[in-house]
Amino acid sequence: MSEKTFYITTPIYYPSGNLHIGHTYTTVAADTITRFKKLQGYDTYFLTGTDEHGQKIEKVAEAAGVAPQAYVDGIVTGIKNLWDTMNISYDQFIRTTDPEHEKTIQRIFKQLYDQGDIYKSNYEGWYCTPCESFWTESQLVDGNCPDCGRPVEKASEEAYFFKMSKYADDLMKYIEDNPHFIQPESRKNEMVNNFIKPGLQDLCVSRTSFTWGVPVDFDPGHVVYVWIDALPNYISALGYLNDKPNLMEKYWPADVHLVGKDIIRFHTIYWPIILMALKLPLPKQVYGHGWILLKGGKMSKSVGNVVDPVVLVDKYGVDALRYHVLREMSYGSDGVYNEDLLVSHINSDLANDLGNLLSRTLAMTDKYFGGVIPKERETAEIDHDLIDLAEKTPAIVSDYMDKLDFSRALEEIWKLVSRSNKYIDETQPWVLGKSPEKQARLAQVMYNLTESLRIVTVLISAAMPETARKIGEQLKCPEASLTWDSIQKFGGYPEGLKIERCEALFPRIELEKKAEQPVKDAKAKTEKAKKENDSPSSEELPEGLITIDDFAKVQLRVAEVVACEPHPDADRLLVLQLLVGQEKRQVVSGIAKYYAPADLVGKTVILVANLKPVNLRGLESNGMILAATKGKKLSLVTVDGIPSGGKVS
Ligand code: MSP
């Protein structure tokens, strides 16, 4: 059994409705770090689940005309399906309605009451009679009930309270002695200055105004109130004070509680205090991540702008979505979701950078060596830079992963992907392929590329398990060559394997809406022009003539050729890598008879940018470059002095 353990939790989600992309982010992040730690040899335990009690759930169920338990059962099935779809490999899914959890909560409540940390008093608040709900002053909207808008009245009910202030000094000391307890750092200052220093209020931990909760067994009529039911899920799951298998000794204290910024207070103040009262060690870290926002602000069911991850997975695939949320959310800050950004991540990072690196490497290995890289190889000075980076990258990625900075971790992996693509352009395998005496050098180039891809595969396996599996299969990597240890040194790709080319990893996504827009606009303009100027529409023109609006449908852009190589499977074709403003494009063009690849690099050409992508002998061509021809002559149309991305009209 491994000695190093790693216990991570997500918040337990309210099953009041289906979960959205924000909850998906947290769970994907927890899954990614768990897989990464497992890869590094840790004995991991990953807990997620649902927080099923409380008045809100009781009301939603009532509105749906079902009992609360039946209501949450339905939602929980959906949540579990979502996690299966997202390829989440949790070890336990805890529900606060599990009898074992309820047992723990009752025992904790009783123990805290017996030792004097919980006492009975009166809860004072604003009561809405029709809704049967208590509200605090700050929850009221214009002095009225936030749910129904009706007037509220001051009322009090008998309730139990937890003496938070008793533990405030011990908590401050723990926070000071453990600088990594609250992460990111900015959240720590917020907790200390805004909540702990001004003085902690005692926490109301029971209610009598609703029944959907864990009963206080020694005082009928009271149910345990929200946080003291929810927070101990992290230990009830490990068998604390119940009859589940006892995993406390092995996994407690948790290494990380991953939570959203809105609930960091409960995890860094209430939860440690409950643990102190129970004389249990405190979690090593609470990490508060930012929120996924939409352009207009928050996602909300009532506004109807909730982003459904299942729809996105159907459309783009699970790893594309996993990559996108992890890459988009920078360390501890909010991120913005929009579909164009997701598509641009797919097209640029996944299809263009990673997908092309794999397809080019496989195609060339196939073409030059029938799929098996020869053992006779010849190194060169130029290899060192790539090898250096490949050897450094795992440690850098591991550091960022430890900090839960997934965005930077992926950025570092993609530096290696880009460096490998650049290495193809530098070494020009297609030139080496022409000389029989350069076979050993060519073999080394192909080996280095394949080896970099193997290292990339292992590094992305936590964030994108499915993609890593597909690459590993195509490179025919045996399991032993996909371990953490095996990527600490360059050169672990085994000899004699025969690669196997399959379909593209990430087919490019056409930006339908964007591509359609100009067409729609052009049509509208034609109609408008027809009305205003009485100019003919294209259907009314003499055959062969088009209107200016017809021409405007073709999007012409200035593009710079940044790399070019022969097509591995077709002598007539060249494969060009173009830069169009910030965007990278691959275009396959039938101009090999007229240009040597090296002559094209640096040229500024004109690209038909909204042409439907096609597959030419196994490689995607996304656009067409313009050329003038007459008889046997051909010349590419080039421009001077206009930077790439410029429009041609
Ligand atoms: N049940 C409590 C947690 C109890 S943990 C002991 C709860 N549930 S929740 O369903 O409302 O929220 C769960 C998590 O989802 C929170 O961490 C919250 O920050 C997160 N998110 C909700 N919307 C989010 C985004 N738009 N973006 C990222 N995370 C978001 O609170």
Side-chain angles (χ1 to χ4, degrees), residues 11-14 20 22-23 51 227 230-231 233-234 259-260 262-263 267 289-292 299:
I12 45 173
Y13 301 102
Y14 288 131
H20 57 60
H23 311 112
D51 186 0
W227 287 101
L231 289 161
N233 87 86
Y234 303 133
V259 300
D262 54 321
I263 57 171
H267 285 80
H289 63 71
W291 270 39
I292 296 191
M299 252 176 280

Side-chain angles (χ1 to χ4, degrees), residues 76 88 92 95 113 186 224 248 279 286 290 292 317 364 370 374 408 414 420 462 477 501 530 534 554 560 588 596:
V76 165
I88 305 293
Q92 190 184 151
R95 304 179 57 176
Y113 178 73
S186 56
V224 176
M248 282 296 282
K279 300 180 184 54
V286 175
I292 296 191
M364 291 191 286
R408 300 288 282 278
W414 255 254
S420 307
C477 287
R501 292 165 71 181
K530 203 177 151 195
D534 212 20
V554 183
E560 190 193 336
V588 179

